[in-house]
């Protein structure tokens, strides 16, 4: 057949993080002892009380359609959580429950963007942002940050990037892949530009419960009415409650935007999984011990990975403040040789590590930094130690 398929779909890059994870699983299935630093999900089981709530939902026959934008019980739980944890007043009518964080972002940009509208994305960025924006007809405008800025967007850089086509800024804190957390003053400076230039902020706060060393997560929408009116806060239960597979995301936004997102979702997917919604109610309203326990364990791993990386040749990093990633500067490695061949790219470095050292890392060219790697410490300490030993061995063998 000669019929042409969608140019928009053809232009979408597949997720390199999922590809790395799939490759690691494939090698493990072949019996190889692979350490995978690609994981973007906690290695803990979903807490028992949350699973029990899902089982109760099944036993009670809660397996039918629900309202497209989520059950009122869950919207009320999210509204209560926003008030208590984030100091933001979103009524249940301003909440939309979706099929995971990615789906929330798709809803947001489908509603915000007209063809050609620009979305400012600070680099490094989570690789799906650019693709989701493009699928919604928008134009990603990448603003590269620096290690000296702790990989954070400054108000000055933001101001320079704004044009008459700017519709939104994506602000991710705590950040994937860097682990950086924006301070109150940094957020206020950004908010001033957003208000003055009059565009939206899409605040991705998926890692909000994972902060360390006294760093506090602050929601930009909590900083005053003018920025609140221009912010869509996006979150989910995947990282905080080890619920990646349950696929529950949520947003808080101005009422008109929430209604439009609910309408879009009603045609694209209908409601999120009914059973997962009941589990989410328990996650938000039930005991929060598991959240602090996971945070404590991630912090131990963070300290260990950071110290190990700092003592390795040819690589460096900034100590992450949140999330569960270490962003590694491998620029010195690229000019070195391995078995007589120049490494050249982070993709090549990742290829060598997985094929010859049974260790999977994420090259960050698709995150906007083509000389960095991302290591996730959402794996056991035993696996972390083994994987870092292998990376160190590789580095010491470079010429």
């Amino acid at each position: 057949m000669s019929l042409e398929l969608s140019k928009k779909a053809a232009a979408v890059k597949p997720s390199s993080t999922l590809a790395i994870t799939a490759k690691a699983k494939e090698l493990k299935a072949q019996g190889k002892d692979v350490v995978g630093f690609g994981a973007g999900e906690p290695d803990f089981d979903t807490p028992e009380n949350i699973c029990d709530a899902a089982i109760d939902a099944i036993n009670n026959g809660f397996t039918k359609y629900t309202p497209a934008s989520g059950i009122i019980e869950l919207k009320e739980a999210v509204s209560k959580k926003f008030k208590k944890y984030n100091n933001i007043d979103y009524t249940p009518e301003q909440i939309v429950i979706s099929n995971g964080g990615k789906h929330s972002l798709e809803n947001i940009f489908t509603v915000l963007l007209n063809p050609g509208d620009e979305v400012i994305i600070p680099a490094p960025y989570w690789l799906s942002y650019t693709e989701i924006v493009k699928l919604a007809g928008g134009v990603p405008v990448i603003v590269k940050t620096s290690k000296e800025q702790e990989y954070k967007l400054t108000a000055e850089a933001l101001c320079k990037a704004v044009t008459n086509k700017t519709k939104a800024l994506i602000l991710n804190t705590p950040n994937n892949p860097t682990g950086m957390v924006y301070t109150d003053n940094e957020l206020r400076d950004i908010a001033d530009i957003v208000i003055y230039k009059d565009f939206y902020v899409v605040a991705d706060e998926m890692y909000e419960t994972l902060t360390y060393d006294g760093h506090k997560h602050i929601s930009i929408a909590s900083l005053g009415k003018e920025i609140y009116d221009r912010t869509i806060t996006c979150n989910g239960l995947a990282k905080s409650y080890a619920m990646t597979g349950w696929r529950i995301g949520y947003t808080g936004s101005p009422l008109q935007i929430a209604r439009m997102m609910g309408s879009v979702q009603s045609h694209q997917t209908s409601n999120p999984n009914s059973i997962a919604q009941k589990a989410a109610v328990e996650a938000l309203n039930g005991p929060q011990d598991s959240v602090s326990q996971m945070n404590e364990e991630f912090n131990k791993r963070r300290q260990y990975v950071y110290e190990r990386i700092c003592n390795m040749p040819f690589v460096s990093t900034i100590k992450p403040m949140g999330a569960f990633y270490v962003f590694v500067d491998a620029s010195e490695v690229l000019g070195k040789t391995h078995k007589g061949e120049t490494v050249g790219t982070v993709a090549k470095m990742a290829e060598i590590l997985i094929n010859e050292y049974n260790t999977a890392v994420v090259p960050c060219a698709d995150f906007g930094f083509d000389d960095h790697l991302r290591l996730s410490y959402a794996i056991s300490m035993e696996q972390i130690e083994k994987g870092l030993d292998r990376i160190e061995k590789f580095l010491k063998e470079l010429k």
Side-chain angles (χ1 to χ4, degrees), residues 317-328:
T317 189
I318 295 178
K319 193 172 189 178
M321 306 167 182
F324 42 63
Y325 306 109
V326 176
F327 194 53
V328 180

Side-chain angles (χ1 to χ4, degrees), residues 13-285:
K13 296 179 185 176
S15 170
S16 57
T17 54
L18 295 181
I20 289 288
T21 303
K23 174 73 171 176
K25 287 179 179 178
E26 179 188 333
L27 291 174
K28 282 182 181 179
Q30 295 171 9
K32 295 188 178 180
D33 179 22
V34 174
V35 174
F37 284 108
E41 61 179 343
D43 56 316
F44 305 100
D45 290 332
T46 304
E48 188 175 1
N49 63 305
I50 298 173
C51 295
D52 287 344
I55 293 167
D56 288 344
I58 295 171
N59 289 336
N60 292 328
F62 195 75
T63 55
K64 308 293 185 184
Y65 292 133
T66 76
S69 61
I71 59 175
I72 187 62
E73 186 182 4
L74 180 51
K75 290 186 176 187
E76 288 172 345
V78 170
S79 177
K80 179 181 173 184
K81 176 262 169 192
F82 269 130
K83 178 62 177 173
K84 180 179 179 181
Y85 189 85
N86 305 96
N87 195 30
I88 314 174
D89 281 313
Y90 287 126
T91 66
E93 291 76 26
Q94 292 174 271
I95 308 296
V96 175
I97 311 299
S98 64
N99 297 278
K102 280 186 181 179
H103 186 211
S104 289
L105 289 167
E106 289 174 358
N107 281 342
I108 291 166
F109 289 113
T110 298
V111 166
L112 290 188
L113 301 181
N114 291 307
D117 283 348
E118 295 176 350
V119 178
I120 297 171
I121 305 175
Y125 49 79
W126 179 49
L127 77 173
S128 289
Y129 290 147
T130 53
E131 306 310 305
I132 291 171
V133 166
K134 287 188 284 187
L135 281 170
V139 178
V141 174
I142 308 304
V143 178
K144 193 158 185 175
T145 63
S146 69
K147 187 188 291 186
E148 292 70 32
Q149 299 165 342
E150 296 183 324
Y151 303 110
K152 294 191 229 179
L153 177 70
T154 64
E156 181 182 7
L158 173 60
C159 194
K160 288 179 180 177
V162 176
T163 73
N164 59 4
K165 293 184 178 180
T166 301
K167 181 62 72 70
L169 160 71
I170 298 179
L171 187 68
N172 177 211
T173 179
N175 183 268
N176 171 13
T178 68
M180 295 297 107
V181 176
Y182 283 78
T183 66
D184 181 276
N185 286 339
E186 289 166 341
L187 291 173
R188 288 183 186 278
D189 288 345
I190 289 170
D192 286 344
I193 302 298
V194 172
I195 294 164
Y196 177 67
K197 296 289 188 176
D198 196 21
F199 54 90
Y200 289 104
V201 176
V202 177
D204 183 351
E205 303 183 348
M206 186 64 74
Y207 296 90
E208 66 179 1
T209 63
L210 297 172
T211 59
Y212 318 104
D213 290 344
H215 295 287
K216 300 293 184 185
H217 169 71
I218 298 167
S219 295
I220 194 168
S222 70
L223 300 181
K225 185 179 186 308
E226 287 187 293
I227 191 63
Y228 168 87
D229 288 340
R230 291 169 174 82
T231 301
I232 301 95
T233 307
C234 181
N235 210 321
L237 283 77
K239 318 299 182 180
S240 300
Y241 298 94
M243 292 179 69
T244 50
W246 297 76
R247 308 314 301 141
I248 294 292
Y250 58 84
T251 55
S253 66
L255 185 57
Q256 181 185 14
I257 291 175
R259 285 173 174 166
M260 290 175 72
M261 286 196 289
S263 179
V264 166
Q265 183 165 300
S266 72
H267 293 290
Q268 290 188 334
T269 66
S270 294
N271 62 277
N273 180 281
S274 60
I275 300 156
Q277 287 188 73
K278 282 290 191 179
V281 171
E282 173 61 24
L284 293 171
N285 289 344

